């Protein structure tokens, strides 16, 4: 894609991939410009979401972003904290995060997934006003929905190499499947 095509994508929304009663509803921070341009979540080639999802056992094979609807067959879905696309998450304001947290809470209350998995601890902290949250399961729930904060799968997140990130995703998968920790 050309830089002009990516820039034009800023105003496009990436549709949620959701259904009632999912095992896990994954939640990104917001769509990147590549995701907005393609209409697919986690579409940037360096993003590790799709490889980690497979490596952690959530999917039987590595899916491509264009196959995102296949997640529903696995009891999984995807949404975002903030719907607005941007080149980088630091372009979002605290107000956008807080409003996104409110909207996400309403969405989760309606869809009732077993787990909400927010990919990005900073996004979770700002969206839900929990400045001490860490990666892992949270005390907070939304109705009966449990919350797990995951590391941000962006290729820029050097603190979490792919194998370590896959271990954290696998911990969530085990919890979602009712396996002992």
């Amino acid at each position: 894609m050309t830089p002009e095509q990516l820039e034009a994508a800023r105003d496009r929304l990436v549709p949620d991939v959701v259904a009632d009663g999912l095992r896990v509803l994954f939640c990104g921070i917001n769509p990147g410009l590549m995701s907005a341009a393609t209409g697919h979540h986690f579409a940037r080639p360096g993003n590790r979401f799709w490889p980690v999802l497979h490596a952690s056992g959530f999917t039987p094979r590595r899916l491509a972003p264009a196959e995102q609807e296949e997640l529903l067959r696995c009891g999984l879905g995807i949404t975002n904290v903030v719907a607005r696309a941007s080149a980088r998450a630091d372009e979002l304001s605290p107000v956008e995060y807080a409003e996104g947290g409110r909207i996400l809470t309403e969405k989760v209350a309606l869809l009732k997934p077993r787990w909400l998995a927010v990919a990005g601890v900073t996004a979770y902290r700002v969206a839900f006003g929990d400045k001490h949250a860490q990666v892992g399961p949270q005390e907070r729930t939304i109705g009966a929905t449990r919350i797990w904060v995951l590391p941000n799968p962006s290729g820029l997140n050097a603190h979490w190499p792919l194998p370590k990130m896959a271990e954290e995703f696998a911990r969530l998968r085990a919890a979602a499947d009712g396996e002992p920790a």
Side-chain angles (χ1 to χ4, degrees):
M1 290 203 161
T2 67
E4 293 79 21
Q5 289 172 315
L6 287 175
E7 191 58 36
R10 282 189 189 271
D11 296 327
R12 295 192 194 135
L13 295 178
V14 178
D16 290 342
V17 177
V18 297
D20 291 338
L22 296 168
R23 279 190 309 146
V24 180
L25 177 59
F26 290 96
C27 182
I29 298 169
N30 76 308
L33 297 182
M34 182 69 75
S35 289
T38 64
H40 303 120
H41 293 270
F42 301 104
R44 188 149 202 80
N47 193 292
R48 298 172 292 172
F49 178 78
W50 299 103
V52 167
L53 207 61
H54 174 61
S56 62
F58 271 112
T59 58
R61 64 179 178 82
R62 182 174 166 180
L63 300 175
E67 297 176 294
Q68 65 188 15
E69 296 293 327
E70 291 294 314
L71 291 175
L72 296 174
R73 292 183 186 176
C74 300
L76 309 172
I78 308 178
T79 189
N80 287 292
V81 174
V82 176
R84 180 174 73 85
S86 67
R88 296 187 353 221
D90 64 5
E91 295 177 22
L92 304 174
S93 72
V95 170
E96 287 177 290
Y97 278 111
E99 178 64 8
R102 185 191 65 74
I103 293 168
L104 181 58
T105 298
E106 291 176 2
K107 193 177 298 186
V108 168
L110 180 69
L111 296 171
K112 297 176 176 53
R114 272 188 254 158
W115 286 90
L116 169 65
V118 180
V121 68
T122 302
Y124 177 82
R125 288 174 181 162
V126 178
F128 289 93
D130 185 351
K131 62 184 177 182
H132 300 294
Q134 299 294 318
V135 168
Q138 306 300 302
E139 291 296 320
R140 174 192 305 259
T141 61
I142 301 172
T145 300
R146 301 276 321 271
I147 300 173
W148 196 293
V149 174
L150 293 167
N152 183 341
S154 167
L156 299 175
N157 185 356
H159 298 292
W160 286 84
L162 195 134
K164 182 179 173 188
M165 190 177 295
E167 287 175 17
E168 188 61 30
F169 273 62
R171 286 182 58 220
L172 167 62
R173 186 199 44 77
D177 291 346
E179 298 172 12

